[in-house]
Amino acid sequence: LEGVDLRVEGRIADLPVAGERGLRFAFDIERAWQGNQPVDLPRTVQLSIYGAAPALQVGDAWAFTVRLKRPHGFQNPGGFDYEAHLFQLRVRATGYVREHEPSRLIAPLGTLAEGALPGYRLNRFRQALSGRIQALLPENRFAPMITAFANGDDDAIPDDQWQVLSRTGTGHLIAISGMNIGLVAGLMFFVVRWLWSLPGVTVLLVPAPLVAASAALLAALGYAALAGFAIPTQRALVMLAVVLGGMFLRRRTAPSVLLAVALFAVLLVDPLAVMAPGFWLSFAAVAVILYTLSGADAKDWKERLVAWGRLQWAVAVGLLPVLLLLFQQASISGPVANLIAIPVIEALVIPATLLGVVAMLALPDSMAPWPFFLAAAALEHLWIALEALARLPGTLWSQH
């Protein structure tokens, strides 16, 4: 069935991505024909529309004439393994929409049963969120980055910004990463634990840590939903659930055991996670952090500041072999850049972005942009430092 015209009907599965030549999107095939003969095709494929493209909304049912092929990528040593990436995402074919055949909108999402398509509805909400943020920040160069923090959609971030992030080793902070989910869960945990303990009598009914752990897991679940439950967020959720599960069991467990159980649980949920660089980087980073912090007992702010700086260097050195093995490059300025970027993004940008999402849903448009303006201003000032670090000679070590 490769290289022949096929008529397919199905649904837009995820947020369409605009490129230089057209539009790229995931498509869930429900029925397919070659001529008048029904054929079996992979469930999820990746399609491109070159030139002018219709307005595609997630969940809408469309009929296209397409040509498909099995996924393949370049075989350059050290290059990005595109075929493995698609395999991990369960995308079994790629192709394009034929220009000379008319495309047809069969049914919008709203005409379907309410409970039948929760995944499509979630991604439709994420798509609407992207559009609203772009409308509220039409001329702001950091609007795509703020969108990534709000709903995990980082495809609109321009290449020059990705280059700065790559050269400074701060790319892991963008979109809804495991660190960001951990931040939201941690904030919720400590706030709820404090509030539950205030009346006093409440802790006699249910211990405060258990209530706080439940709230933290729900907050992490909600933030992961904003990312469309992308594979990295699923991995972070499983790791977080293992850690919080230790609290529900009311037993102390060695951090190394928790890490091993989390790794095992992630592989049970998604065995193909081993094909993702993020899998190796996230578990290696947590292992280095646990090793570095073991036995640490910083008492005043000066000791905490020194410990924070020591942790950044420990992570940089610990991940160096993994980065060189997976990407053949590593950022030399990464420890300094993360020392600056993590507090700004975790303490200012992400809380302001989430506040903006809530404001956008609950307040009029005239008031909704202010949290986003605060997040953009924080990124603007942070970017001055990151660009300065990225321009330093030899900041990116490339090694075959």
Side-chain angles (χ1 to χ4, degrees), residues 127-317:
Q127 187 178 18
L129 199 59
S130 293
R132 288 287 302 279
I133 293 174
Q134 293 295 330
L136 292 174
L137 304 172
E139 303 297 329
N140 196 294
R141 63 172 177 152
F142 293 107
M145 206 172 289
I146 292 172
T147 302
F149 287 122
N151 68 357
D153 179 19
D154 59 5
D155 289 305
I157 296 177
D159 290 340
D160 61 325
Q161 291 183 355
W162 276 122
Q163 187 175 18
V164 170
L165 294 168
S166 175
R167 292 181 66 85
T168 56
T170 51
H172 66 98
L173 297 173
I174 302 305
I176 301 179
S177 65
M179 179 180 289
N180 298 339
I181 286 180
L183 166 76
V184 171
L187 286 175
M188 182 63 72
F189 179 87
F190 289 113
V191 169
V192 170
R193 188 178 67 173
W194 176 68
L195 290 174
W196 188 258
S197 303
L198 274 181
V201 68
T202 48
V203 297
L204 301 177
L205 303 174
V206 182
L210 298 188
V211 177
S214 302
L217 196 56
L218 286 175
L221 191 67
Y223 198 30
L226 281 177
F229 291 109
I231 289 176
T233 62
Q234 293 178 27
R235 185 169 63 242
L237 273 178
V238 172
M239 296 173 71
L240 188 66
V242 169
V243 173
L244 296 177
M247 292 187 178
F248 287 106
L249 293 176
R250 305 187 188 191
R251 58 189 296 176
R252 295 180 64 87
T253 308
S256 58
V257 175
L258 281 176
L259 186 64
V261 173
L263 189 146
F264 181 62
V266 166
L267 293 181
L268 280 179
V269 173
D270 180 20
L272 297 185
V274 294
M275 304 181 74
F279 170 83
W280 301 98
L281 289 170
S282 60
F283 278 101
V286 173
V288 171
I289 290 170
L290 291 176
Y291 179 78
T292 306
L293 294 181
S294 61
D297 187 22
K299 294 179 174 59
D300 57 21
W301 67 270
K302 292 181 181 179
E303 291 180 352
R304 291 193 180 98
L305 191 61
V306 171
W308 173 250
R310 186 188 302 119
L311 180 62
Q312 296 306 316
W313 283 105
V315 171
V317 174

Side-chain angles (χ1 to χ4, degrees), residues 2-253:
E2 286 186 308
V4 299
D5 284 354
L6 301 169
R7 192 71 180 166
V8 297
E9 292 181 0
R11 300 194 174 277
I12 311 298
D14 207 344
L15 281 66
V17 179
E20 294 180 358
R21 301 175 57 195
L23 207 61
R24 186 180 77 248
F25 58 96
F27 189 70
D28 286 342
I29 295 178
E30 296 173 348
R31 295 186 295 174
W33 301 266
Q34 182 186 10
N36 295 321
Q37 181 68 32
V39 293
D40 291 327
L41 293 177
R43 164 70 174 174
T44 302
V45 301
Q46 181 174 280
L47 296 178
S48 297
I49 298 180
Y50 299 116
L56 300 180
Q57 298 288 325
V58 177
D60 286 353
W62 281 80
F64 298 118
T65 298
V66 301
R67 285 194 176 179
L68 299 176
K69 63 181 179 182
R70 284 165 288 186
H72 65 84
F74 295 118
Q75 297 288 330
N76 299 332
F80 176 61
D81 193 340
Y82 184 60
E83 186 176 339
H85 171 70
L86 291 178
F87 184 77
Q88 191 214 352
L89 296 179
R90 278 76 173 176
V91 174
R92 296 291 183 261
T94 63
Y96 63 94
V97 176
R98 299 283 281 166
E99 295 180 12
H100 68 277
E101 295 288 346
S103 302
R104 179 167 56 91
L105 175 63
I106 299 174
L109 180 67
T111 62
L112 290 132
E114 287 293 325
L117 302 159
Y120 294 134
R121 294 188 183 281
L122 175 60
N123 285 332
R124 184 68 163 262
F125 172 76
R126 294 174 59 232
Q127 187 178 18
L129 199 59
S130 293
R132 288 287 302 279
I133 293 174
Q134 293 295 330
L136 292 174
L137 304 172
E139 303 297 329
N140 196 294
R141 63 172 177 152
F142 293 107
M145 206 172 289
I146 292 172
T147 302
F149 287 122
N151 68 357
D153 179 19
D154 59 5
D155 289 305
I157 296 177
D159 290 340
D160 61 325
Q161 291 183 355
W162 276 122
Q163 187 175 18
V164 170
L165 294 168
S166 175
R167 292 181 66 85
T168 56
T170 51
H172 66 98
L173 297 173
I174 302 305
I176 301 179
S177 65
M179 179 180 289
N180 298 339
I181 286 180
L183 166 76
V184 171
L187 286 175
M188 182 63 72
F189 179 87
F190 289 113
V191 169
V192 170
R193 188 178 67 173
W194 176 68
L195 290 174
W196 188 258
S197 303
L198 274 181
V201 68
T202 48
V203 297
L204 301 177
L205 303 174
V206 182
L210 298 188
V211 177
S214 302
L217 196 56
L218 286 175
L221 191 67
Y223 198 30
L226 281 177
F229 291 109
I231 289 176
T233 62
Q234 293 178 27
R235 185 169 63 242
L237 273 178
V238 172
M239 296 173 71
L240 188 66
V242 169
V243 173
L244 296 177
M247 292 187 178
F248 287 106
L249 293 176
R250 305 187 188 191
R251 58 189 296 176
R252 295 180 64 87
T253 308

